[in-house]
Amino acid sequence: MEKKKLYTLLVYSENVAGILNQITAVFTRRQVNIESLNVSASSIQGIHKYTITAWSDLDQIVKITKQIEKKIDVVKADYYTDDEIFIHEVGLYKISTAKLMENPEISRAIRWHDARMMEVNPTYTTVQLAGVTEDITNLYDKLNEFGCILQYGRSGRIAVTRSKEEAISDYLNTREQERNGNIG
């Protein structure tokens, strides 16, 4: 049996109500858990981009991608491994200011991870770190060792491909040329 690995799906759709439910239902039916989900406007007007991560084997992720792409409002769907895309996440850490002040190692850990202190008040300090998942979780683990975390949140992954253009751009250009009768 093939080992599961983390895949990132980039799904482009028209901005219509209910499409997110249709996309996540594909994962539910196949009993694949979504690790992270980020939805935003894409670089193309009227098209939204869904960045979805899930642990799966290749066969399963191919089937999921094909099923998603069959949805009427989905324009394009592709899956990628981490070496095929640039990825980024943001972590927010709310930590105890009292513990921060009494233990200089906490401040050193924040600086060592290149995180930023966003707000410091007598009760709590808010720290932000942007980077890859491993960086975000490593700082969490370090701060958790100090017992200073009051709250923690991590964004979903955002990603762009390593190609010069978004895959959807080529797809939409080809589709437009086909409509105009310029391609076979």
Side-chain angles (χ1 to χ4, degrees):
M1 183 173 177
E2 185 183 348
K3 185 180 175 188
K4 289 185 179 190
K5 63 182 178 181
L6 187 66
Y7 287 94
T8 301
L9 278 76
L10 299 181
V11 179
Y12 299 88
S13 79
E14 296 178 26
N15 187 18
V16 295
I19 190 67
L20 178 58
N21 186 45
Q22 292 177 41
I23 291 169
T24 58
V26 173
F27 287 88
T28 303
R29 280 192 301 275
R30 295 209 167 260
Q31 297 183 334
V32 173
N33 189 43
I34 293 174
E35 285 293 314
S36 74
L37 172 66
N38 185 322
V39 182
S40 65
S42 75
S43 60
I44 299 166
Q45 187 173 358
I47 302 291
H48 272 61
K49 181 178 182 178
Y50 300 74
T51 306
I52 306 165
T53 60
W55 289 92
S56 181
D57 58 54
L58 181 59
D59 183 53
Q60 184 83 295
I61 210 71
V62 167
K63 289 175 184 173
I64 288 170
T65 305
K66 286 179 180 177
Q67 281 186 308
I68 290 172
E69 204 164 37
K70 287 180 183 176
K71 302 294 177 192
I72 197 152
D73 295 313
V74 170
V75 178
K76 183 93 172 113
D78 287 302
Y79 63 90
Y80 300 90
T81 56
D82 284 359
D83 61 329
E84 298 172 307
I85 54 178
F86 292 105
I87 56 175
H88 216 67
E89 293 182 15
V90 174
L92 287 176
Y93 314 81
K94 185 175 174 181
I95 62 174
S96 165
T97 300
K99 289 189 179 187
L100 173 66
M101 300 308 272
E102 67 189 41
N103 186 348
E105 290 301 313
I106 297 172
S107 181
R108 280 191 201 99
I110 292 167
R111 285 193 312 276
W112 189 86
H113 283 87
D114 290 327
R116 287 184 27 202
M117 289 189 196
M118 305 297 291
E119 178 183 356
V120 179
N121 67 44
T123 308
Y124 63 85
T125 299
T126 306
V127 176
Q128 175 189 327
L129 177 61
V132 295
T133 309
E134 185 179 29
D135 296 339
I136 307 292
T137 56
N138 284 345
L139 179 56
Y140 172 83
D141 292 343
K142 192 65 172 171
L143 293 174
N144 199 37
E145 286 175 20
F146 295 122
C148 63
I149 295 179
L150 301 173
Q151 292 181 33
Y152 166 72
R154 192 175 96 210
S155 72
R157 175 180 279 194
I158 57 172
V160 293
T161 65
R162 292 187 180 268
S163 64
K164 292 180 183 177
E165 292 183 343
E166 287 192 85
I168 183 124
S169 299
D170 290 338
Y171 174 80
L172 290 174
N173 289 337
T174 302
R175 194 171 82 174
E176 185 63 28
Q177 288 176 351
E178 287 172 350
R179 283 186 186 157
N180 295 333
N182 296 337
I183 293 182

